[in-house]
Every structure is written in C-alpha cells, then in structure tokens.
C-alpha cells in the first residue's frame, strides 16, 4: 500500500496563549491538538510537518501585577512568525490579584485589558493574531437605548485596531454587533450539537419526539435559537413573552411584571428551555414554575453560560421540588465546584470543538462545517 502523504501546510507555526482565566479549558484544548497532530502526521515524512509535532503548543506567558493594581504582560518565548491564538474567559470571577494588600476578584474589564496587554506584548511579531473569547465581552450591551454606551462595538474595534485578524466567540447575544468591524473576521459558533450529545449520553430516556417534547424560548431574544433547536429536532416551539414595567429601571433594566406564554399545549410533555446564558436565573425559575402549573412533565434547561449571580440556593429548591430536572451548560466560562457537584448540573465539554476550530483556521480551511452541526444532531436523534 502506498504511504499516505499529508500535503496541507499551516499558515504559520501554531502558538496558543492561554490567559490565567482559561487555564483548565486551555490545557484540554492543547491536549486535543497535540494528540490529533501526532496521529495525523505519524505516517508523514514531509519536512514541513516536523516542527508541527510538539508536546504542547501553549506559549509561556504571564501577567505581572504591581502592588498598586497596574499590570503588564510578558511572553517568555519567541512568537516571531507564528499563528497566535489567544484564549481567555472574561467571565471568570475566580481569578484574583492583590492591590494595596487587598485581594480583588478580576472583572470582565480586567480580563479584557489583559487580552490587550498580551496583544501589545506580541508587538507585531506574530504572523497573525486571533482572539477566542467564548463569552463575548460586553455582549449584552450590543445596542443603544437612549443615552447609553456601545461597549461591545467599541471593544471589537479596539481589538481590530490592535491587529487582530479573527475574533471567535460562542452563542453571541447579538451577532449583528460584527457590523462594527466589517473588515475583521467575526464568527459566533454554537454549542447545540455538544449539548444534545450530552443530553443523549446522560439520560437515554429523553425522547426527542414531537409528541413527547417541546422547545421553549424564555423570551423573544432567544427565539432564533429555539427555532433552530426545534427545526433540527423536529419539535414544536413555544414562547414566553416578558411584560416589563417601562416606567422603572432596576439594575439597568426594566423590571419584568409577568411572563406570558404563547404556543401549543405543554401538558404531559418534556420541555427544553434554551437560552444563551443564565444570569441570576429569575426568568428561568418563573418560567419553570408556570410550565409546571400547565402540567409539563420534565423540564430541561440548556444554556451556553451559567452564572447564578444570586447564588444557587433557589436552583437547589426548584430541583428538589421537581420544577427543573436538569441544567446542561458548557465549560466555556468558570463553573464553581459546587455547581459541578450538584445533582441537577451537567457540564458540557467544548474543548474538542475549540481545538478543531484552532486546527482548522491554522491550516486556512473553511470553518463552515464547524458552524453547522445539523446533520450530526439528526444522527443522534435518529439513534
């Protein structure tokens, strides 16, 4: 048999800069790439593959914090001519630093500033720079209402001005924010396939059948996502509409008066509530309670990012009462151990998809197959 020959050539030697906020996920991503390239290039004798087989592609880097809170980024190895991917979780509030003897938790603003510091430390020596920010910085502030800042658009323009060629995120709150950087690559990937796969693995009794399950959107903003889930799974879709009090503003938002349901009968059916994130969890709790009043069976919540900014006590209560059966969420932002230990929580690992994304872009292949997992989902449903 003729020896297999691999002819594709990377755009540049791969280098991954993993910010302190993303160490765990970054290690998993790196392991996937190392193992994949060892297997792929095992039978290749091409000279241009020799340098591509490494024990790790992570660039040794460090954020040095001064006692007054200021900081600088350091790269401890050469990045000249490399194809650099910066991986950071701007939502990781578990990273701390010391300022004037006081321990402070890093905010999304601190993390984003560190991303810019790392780009500045590269100093134009890399062949190409990409930023992988699973949780999009200021993604919730994507449009202006009255006299408000446009934080997400400004942040993207800052990255563009610093020479970033591609920005990758997951389940962006509003993908049209990319209009702020028309000359820079912007892709919002989805976790749908990985979540459906996790649901199938965790509970083989879940039946993705039109007579047994429905998809529910918790608000109008998540309707596109709910429609996608419903279409690939062949299910009906329903919607909860938030009636707000537009005379008041609480914590920067108009408070919700009531959730109104629009859709088919939910009695006796399993429910799939889909959204991009859970912040405090208030809306999900109220919707789950309303669905149970309508005699829904099992309620599964699937999101890309979970915060529970007010704690998980109410989630524990709703699980014990049987209002919510399971919560499926990805590991693309920080998850406290108490979440992972809870019976109601199932973590969805996204490291393989991120590693495929890095490999694909490094070899200048199309990312379109990674953006659409419809056929893969239908195979799971078919099983």
């Amino acid at each position: 048999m003729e020896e297999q020959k691999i002819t594709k050539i990377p755009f540049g030697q791969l280098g991954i800069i993993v910010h302190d906020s993303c160490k765990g996920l970054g290690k998993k991503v790196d392991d996937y790439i190392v193992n994949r390239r060892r297997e792929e290039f095992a039978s290749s004798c091409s000279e241009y593959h020799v340098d591509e087989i490494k024990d790790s592609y992570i660039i040794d880097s460090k954020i040095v914090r001064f006692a007054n809170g200021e900081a600088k980024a350091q790269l401890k190895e050469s990045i000249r001519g490399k194809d650099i991917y910066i991986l950071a979780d701007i939502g990781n509030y578990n990273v701390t630093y010391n300022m004037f003897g006081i321990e402070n938790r890093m905010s999304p603003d601190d993390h984003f500033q560190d991303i810019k510091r790392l780009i500045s430390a590269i100093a134009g020596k890399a062949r190409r720079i990409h930023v992988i920010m699973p949780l999009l910085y200021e993604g919730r502030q994507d449009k202006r209402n009255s006299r408000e800042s446009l934080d997400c658009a400004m942040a993207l323009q800052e990255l563009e001005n610093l020479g970033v060629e591609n920005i990758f995120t997951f389940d962006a709150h509003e993908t049209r924010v990319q209009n702020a950087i028309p000359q820079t690559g912007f892709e919002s990937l989805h976790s749908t396939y990985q979540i459906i796969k996790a649901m199938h693995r965790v509970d083989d009794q879940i039946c993705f059948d039109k007579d047994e399950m429905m998809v529910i959107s918790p608000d109008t903003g998540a309707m596109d996502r709910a429609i996608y889930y419903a279409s690939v799974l062949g299910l009906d879709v329903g919607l909860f509409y938030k009636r707000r009090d537009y005379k008041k503003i609480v914590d920067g938002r108009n408070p919700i008066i009531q959730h109104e349901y629009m859709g088919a009968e939910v009695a006796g059916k399993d429910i799939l509530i889909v959204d991009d994130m859970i912040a405090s969890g208030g809306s999900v709790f109220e919707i789950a309670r309303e669905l149970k009043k309508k005699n829904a069976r099992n309620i599964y919540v699937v999101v890309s990012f979970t915060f529970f900014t007010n704690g998980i006590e109410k989630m524990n209560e709703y699980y014990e009462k049987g209002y919510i059966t399971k919560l499926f969420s990805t590991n693309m932002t920080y998850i406290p151990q108490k979440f992972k230990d809870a019976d109601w929580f199932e973590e969805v690992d996204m490291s393989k998809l991120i590693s495929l994304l890095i490999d694909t872009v490094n070899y200048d292949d199309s990312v379109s197959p990674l953006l659409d997992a419809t056929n893969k989902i239908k195979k799971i449903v078919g099983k």
Side-chain angles (χ1 to χ4, degrees):
M1 182 181 294
E2 186 178 351
E3 184 177 343
Q4 182 184 6
K5 294 182 179 179
I6 302 175
T7 57
K8 62 180 183 179
I9 303 173
F11 183 86
Q13 281 193 3
L14 175 61
I16 306 173
I17 298 177
V18 180
H19 185 251
D20 289 343
S21 61
C22 224
K23 291 294 186 184
L25 181 61
K27 179 64 169 60
K28 287 184 177 182
V29 169
D30 184 51
D31 288 343
Y32 270 117
I33 295 175
V34 169
N35 293 332
R36 186 182 301 116
R37 293 196 173 189
R38 280 179 178 170
E39 292 176 5
E40 186 175 359
F41 300 144
S43 59
S44 174
C45 298
S46 302
E47 293 181 1
Y48 50 76
H49 286 146
V50 175
D51 291 337
E52 290 305 301
I53 304 175
K54 297 183 177 181
D55 294 329
S56 176
Y57 296 92
I58 295 178
I59 303 293
D60 191 6
S61 61
K62 185 179 181 181
I63 300 293
V64 178
R65 187 73 59 171
F66 301 109
N68 68 338
E70 294 179 336
K72 65 179 179 181
Q74 287 183 342
L75 301 179
K76 298 187 178 181
E77 58 185 275
S78 174
I79 44 80
R80 187 177 296 276
K82 291 189 176 181
D83 196 21
I84 297 295
Y85 297 76
I86 299 174
L87 182 60
D89 171 20
I90 60 97
N92 190 342
Y93 57 90
N94 195 47
V95 181
T96 61
Y97 64 92
N98 193 281
M99 183 173 71
F100 291 98
I102 302 171
E103 187 178 43
N104 293 272
R105 290 184 181 270
M106 289 190 67
S107 70
D109 292 343
D110 294 323
H111 289 307
F112 186 70
Q113 193 67 26
D114 279 355
I115 292 173
K116 293 190 290 183
R117 289 186 176 107
L118 289 167
I119 297 171
S120 176
I122 292 171
K125 302 299 189 298
R127 182 169 294 186
R128 195 168 58 172
I129 301 173
H130 317 262
V131 171
I132 301 177
M133 202 187 318
L135 178 60
L136 183 60
Y137 175 68
E138 290 289 358
R140 301 174 75 180
Q141 187 53 29
D142 53 51
K143 59 182 179 294
R144 172 177 287 152
N145 294 314
S146 185
R147 293 183 288 275
E148 292 182 343
S149 57
L150 284 169
D151 297 69
C152 190
M154 290 193 300
L156 294 179
Q157 288 177 350
E158 282 187 88
L159 294 179
E160 181 182 55
N161 293 335
L162 286 169
V164 174
E165 187 157 328
N166 290 297
I167 299 167
F168 298 102
T169 188
F170 283 78
D171 289 310
H173 194 69
E174 175 54 78
T175 57
R176 285 178 292 185
V177 74
Q178 66 186 291
N179 293 338
I181 49 169
Q183 300 302 313
T184 299
F186 179 94
E187 296 290 353
S188 177
L189 288 82
H190 302 286
S191 54
T192 312
Y193 168 66
Q194 285 74 19
I195 289 175
I196 297 298
K197 187 178 179 181
M199 292 182 70
H200 184 74
R201 184 189 70 249
V202 170
D203 188 351
D204 57 8
Q205 299 301 313
I206 295 177
C207 182
F208 298 108
D209 184 87
K210 189 175 182 180
D211 296 327
E212 300 292 332
M213 179 178 278
M214 273 188 67
V215 177
I216 296 293
S217 173
D219 54 39
T220 54
M223 196 60 186
D224 288 344
R225 186 176 293 102
I227 289 173
Y228 177 73
Y229 270 90
S231 62
V232 296
L233 296 173
L235 306 177
D236 287 331
V237 63
L239 165 70
F240 271 91
Y241 171 73
K242 295 176 181 178
R243 283 204 297 118
R244 295 181 179 273
D245 184 355
Y246 289 99
K247 296 178 182 178
K248 299 179 182 177
I249 296 178
V250 178
D251 294 331
R253 308 177 70 182
N254 300 108
I256 299 169
I257 300 173
Q258 189 174 350
H259 289 84
E260 302 283 358
Y261 176 69
M262 295 184 290
E265 182 65 43
V266 301
K269 292 185 178 181
D270 290 339
I271 302 298
L272 200 60
I273 301 177
V274 300
D275 208 350
D276 59 338
M277 67 174 66
I278 289 180
S280 65
S283 293
V284 169
F285 296 142
E286 185 170 339
I287 289 169
R289 188 172 63 249
E290 290 297 320
L291 288 169
K292 277 297 182 180
K293 287 180 182 178
K294 297 178 184 296
N295 298 317
R297 195 163 53 196
N298 295 307
I299 296 176
Y300 302 97
V301 181
V302 297
V303 294
S304 296
F305 308 103
T306 299
F307 304 123
F308 284 120
T309 54
N310 294 333
I312 61 171
E313 290 74 17
K314 197 166 185 178
M315 182 65 199
N316 290 331
E317 176 191 340
Y318 272 54
Y319 172 73
E320 291 169 1
K321 289 181 177 179
Y323 289 164
I324 297 176
T325 304
K326 284 284 183 183
L327 167 64
F328 293 83
S329 183
T330 73
N331 62 340
M332 293 189 294
T333 192
Y334 170 68
I335 302 174
Q337 191 60 45
K338 62 181 178 181
F339 287 22
K340 298 180 182 181
D341 295 339
D343 293 334
W344 45 262
F345 186 82
E346 291 294 339
E347 182 178 333
V348 180
D349 186 15
M350 298 295 293
S351 55
K352 186 175 182 179
L353 178 58
I354 295 174
S355 72
L356 283 170
L357 172 66
I358 292 174
D359 251 347
T360 300
V361 178
N362 183 227
Y363 284 103
D364 267 348
D365 287 337
S366 172
V367 298
S368 295
L370 301 179
L371 298 175
D372 185 6
T374 302
N375 292 330
K376 291 183 179 179
I377 295 172
K378 287 184 176 179
K379 284 182 181 179
I380 294 177
V381 176
K383 292 179 182 179

